[in-house]
Amino acid sequence: MKNLRRAFVEETGTKVKKRTVRKCFFRVYSYLLYQDTASLFEALDYRSSLDQEERKRERYFVFRYMLRLIKSKHPKQYDQLCPMPS
């Protein structure tokens, strides 16, 4: 969970609770799975390209990549999938 949280903070610049990060991860993953499978396959290809040292923090790198994909390809959905606390 620590790696997911770190990726979220780096991409959004917002510190949030573990529960919020977990929700965001599953929402992003589900969105890619059901709405944009091409991007999901991109993320899986990225995952397979990680070297041994990066595999130790695989969740961090993959979640960061997924956030960047959503942010660049579906900016409106990004705001709904990972709402920032006020």
Side-chain angles (χ1 to χ4, degrees):
M1 190 55 61
K2 181 178 161 186
N3 287 331
L4 292 179
R5 195 171 180 188
R6 186 145 130 284
F8 186 85
V9 169
E10 284 181 13
E11 287 304 310
T12 64
T14 307
K15 290 187 178 182
V16 293
K17 296 179 182 178
K18 293 178 190 177
R19 194 170 113 210
T20 304
V21 171
R22 185 192 280 128
K23 270 187 185 179
C24 179
F25 174 77
F26 286 117
R27 286 178 179 172
V28 168
Y29 178 78
S30 295
Y31 181 81
L32 292 178
L33 179 64
Y34 295 114
Q35 305 298 324
D36 189 2
T37 52
S39 292
L40 178 64
F41 286 128
E42 245 181 88
L44 292 174
D45 287 341
Y46 173 75
R47 179 181 176 262
S48 67
S49 73
L50 295 175
D51 63 17
Q52 280 296 59
E53 193 60 34
E54 291 171 331
R55 286 278 177 163
K56 294 176 184 174
R57 300 182 318 161
E58 176 180 311
R59 292 182 81 184
Y60 163 76
F61 288 112
V62 173
F63 186 47
R64 189 178 71 174
Y65 188 80
M66 288 167 54
L67 286 172
R68 288 179 181 177
L69 277 175
I70 290 283
K71 195 186 287 187
S72 66
K73 291 185 176 185
H74 309 284
K76 291 180 184 177
Q77 293 300 325
Y78 175 77
D79 293 336
Q80 292 177 356
L81 295 171
C82 296
M84 299 300 134
S86 314

